[in-house]
DNA sequence: ATGTTC
C-alpha cells in the first residue's frame, strides 16, 4: 500500500490524493501518534473515505484515530448535500450519538473521605444498570412513549420529571435533535429500545467520579462551573441496542440501493446513499431518533447519579455539558469561499463549537463549547473548549483511542488483577464483568495526555481542565 | 458499540 504521506507540521500530515480519492487525507497527529500505514488499517480507511461522492476539503482523522467499521474511529468527513453528497451509517458508527456528559458536584476532593467515597460508589453501583442486557432506570410504558423519547430526547425526559430545564441549556442541540421520525425505526429496533432507557451499556462506557487535578484555563473553567479539586461525575454512554439496530438496518438498506444511485465504494462497509435520497433521508430520520434516545439515556443516568449524591453526600450535581461524538449533522460551512450545506460525519470525533457560534448558550459565547474527553479506565479525562478557525469543521478528538484489540487486551491482564491494581492506586471499581474490565485495561489505549496535546497543537481545541478518576462504575 | 454470529 504505497500511500504518500507528507508531514505538514508537528501535528498534521497530508495523505496525497491519488486514484479514486476526491480529496486528500489529513491526519492530525504527532509522529508518535500517527498509525503505521503498514500494520494498521486506519489510514487506509482515511483514504477509502476520501473516495465518497460529494466529500469536500479532506478526509480528516483526529489524533486518537483507530480502525473501525468502514470509516476510522476518529474520522471526520463532510459531504456537500446539494451536490449529491452522501450520508453513510458507517460514518456515524453503531453507537449512534454515543457521547459524554459532565456533572459538577458542590464538593471538593478534600471533603470526600475514603469511607464516604466507598459508600457513594456502592450506591452508584446499585443505581446504574450496566452490562449487556435489558435493565433500565426508566421502563417505558410502550411504543407510544418510546416514540416521544425518540422525538424529544432529554427534553422529553425533563418534561417527565427527570432533570431540570437548566440541564437542557447545557445539552448539545438543547437536548433534542430535530428531524427524528419513528417511522424510519424498525420494529426490532423499537423492541430493543423499550427496556434499556437509562442504562450504561458495556465496552468503554462508564460512569466515573472524578476530581479536577489541573486547571489550564481559569476563565473558561469558571464559565463551565469548574474549579481546582472539584468533584465531578462523567458519564460515557450511547443509544444501546436501539442505535445498533438502526445502524444495522440502514447499512443493509443502503447496500441494496447503492447500485440504483450509481455509487461504488472501495469497502462495502462504506455503504451510503445521497443525503437527499429516500434512503439517505430515512437514515438521517432514524439516526436523529437514536440520537434523542442516547441523550435521554444520559439524562436518566444523570438522575440516578444525582439520587446517589444527594443520599450519600447531600449535594447536587450541576450539568456542565452533554456532547455527542458519534453523529452526522447537516451544517453550513464556507468551502472555497462559498457557504455550503454539508453533512458532517463525526465518528469518534467531538463537536467543538468556537466562541460566538450561534448554537452556543449565551453564557458560554465568550469561551466556546465545552468538549468532554473521556480517558481510558484509571487515567485522566479532559475538558477542552472549541476554538476559532478549526480546520476540521469544528471537530476534535473524542478520547484516548484504542491501541490494541479487546482480545489482545484480555490476554494481557486478568480482570481481577486490573481491579486490584486500580484499587491499589486509590480508584474504587464497580464493574459488570471481569472480562469486560480486562478488555478496558489502559495499556490497550493511547496516552490521552498526548492525544489532547496533539489536538490542541493542531488547532482543533484548547485545554481547559484535567480530571483524575476516584471511582469508576464500569459497563 | 452490540440480546458480542443472520
Amino acid at each position: 500500500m504505497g500511500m504518500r504521506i507528507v508531514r505538514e507540521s508537528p501535528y498534521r500530515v497530508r495523505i496525497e490524493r491519488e486514484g479514486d480519492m476526491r480529496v486528500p487525507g489529513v491526519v492530525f497527529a504527532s509522529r508518535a501518534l500517527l498509525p503505521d500505514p503498514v500494520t494498521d488499517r486506519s489510514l487506509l480507511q482515511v483514504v477509502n473515505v476520501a473516495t465518497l461522492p460529494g466529500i469536500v476539503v479532506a478526509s480528516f482523522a483526529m489524533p486518537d484515530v483507530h480502525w473501525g467499521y468502514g470509516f476510522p474511529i476518529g474520522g471526520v468527513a463532510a459531504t456537500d448535500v446539494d451536490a449529491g453528497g452522501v450520508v453513510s451509517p458507517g460514518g456515524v458508527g453503531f453507537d449512534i450519538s454515543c457521547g459524554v456528559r459532565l456533572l459538577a458536584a458542590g464538593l471538593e476532593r478534600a471533603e470526600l473521605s475514603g469511607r464516604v467515597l466507598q459508600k457513594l460508589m456502592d450506591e452508584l453501583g446499585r443505581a446504574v444498570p450496566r452490562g449487556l442486557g435489558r435493565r433500565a432506570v426508566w421502563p417505558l410504558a410502550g411504543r407510544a412513549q418510546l416514540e416521544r423519547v425518540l422525538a424529544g430526547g432529554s427534553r422529553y425526559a425533563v418534561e417527565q420529571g427527570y432533570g431540570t430545564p437548566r440541564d437542557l441549556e447545557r445539552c448539545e442541540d438543547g437536548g433534542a435533535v430535530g428531524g427524528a421520525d419513528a417511522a424510519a425505526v424498525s420494529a426490532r429496533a423499537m423492541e430493543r429500545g423499550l427496556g434499556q432507557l437509562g442504562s450504561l451499556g458495556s465496552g468503554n462506557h462508564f460512569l466515573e467520579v472524578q476530581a479536577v487535578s489541573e486547571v489550564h484555563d481559569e476563565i473558561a473553567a469558571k464559565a463551565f462551573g469548574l474549579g481546582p479539586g472539584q468533584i465531578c461525575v462523567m458519564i460515557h454512554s450511547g443509544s444501546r441496542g436501539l442505535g445498533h439496530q438502526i445502524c444495522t438496518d440502514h447499512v443493509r438498506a443502503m447496500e441494496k440501493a447503492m447500485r440504483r444511485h450509481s455509487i461504488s465504494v472501495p469497502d462495502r462497509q462504506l455503504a451510503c446513499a445521497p443525503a437527499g435520497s429516500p434512503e439517505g433521508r430515512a437514515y438521517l430520520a432514524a439516526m436523529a431518533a437514536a440520537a434523542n434516545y442516547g441523550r435521554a439515556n444520559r439524562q436518566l443516568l444523570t438522575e440516578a447519579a444525582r439520587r446517589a449524591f444527594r443520599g450519600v453526600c447531600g449535594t447536587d450535581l450541576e450539568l456542565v455539558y452533554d456532547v455527542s461524538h458519534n453523529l452526522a449533522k447537516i451544517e453550513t460551512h464556507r468551502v472555497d469561499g462559498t457557504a455550503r450545506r454539508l453533512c458532517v460525519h463525526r465518528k469518534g470525533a467531538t463537536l467543538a463549537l468556537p466562541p460566538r457560534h450561534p448554537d452556543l448558550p449565551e453564557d458560554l459565547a465568550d469561551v466556546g463549547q465545552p468538549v468532554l474527553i473521556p480517558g481510558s479506565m484509571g487515567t485522566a479525562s479532559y475538558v477542552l473548549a472549541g476554538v476559532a478557525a478549526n480546520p476540521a469543521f469544528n471537530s476534535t478528538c473524542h478520547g484516548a483511542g484504542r491501541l490494541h484489540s479487546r482480545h489482545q487486551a484480555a490476554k494481557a491482564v486478568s480482570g481481577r488483577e486490573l481491579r486490584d491494581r486500580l484499587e491499589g492506586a486509590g480508584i474504587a471499581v464497580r464493574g459488570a464483568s471481569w472480562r469486560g474490565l480486562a478488555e478496558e485495561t489502559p495499556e490497550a489505549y493511547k496516552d490521552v495526555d498526548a492525544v489532547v496535546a496533539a489536538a490542541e497543537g493542531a488547532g482543533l481545541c484548547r485545554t481547559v481542565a484535567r480530571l483524575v478518576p476516584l471511582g469508576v462504575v464500569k459497563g
Side-chain angles (χ1 to χ4, degrees), chain A residues 363-411:
Chain A
D363 56 340
L364 298 181
D366 288 343
V367 286
Q369 180 212 303
V371 176
L372 311 172
I373 307 297
S376 55
M377 193 167 50
T379 68
S381 294
Y382 278 89
V383 179
L384 316 174
V387 294
N390 178 301
F393 305 110
N394 297 332
S395 315
T396 188
C397 58
H398 88 302
R402 192 170 268 281
L403 203 55
H404 304 308
S405 70
R406 298 192 166 279
H407 185 69
Q408 281 174 297
K411 271 201 310 195

Side-chain angles (χ1 to χ4, degrees), chain A residues 415-432:
Chain A
R416 280 185 175 78
E417 215 179 313
L418 184 59
R419 192 264 322 258
D420 290 348
R421 174 150 54 100
L422 292 168
E423 293 271 357
I427 302 167
V429 179
R430 300 294 181 271

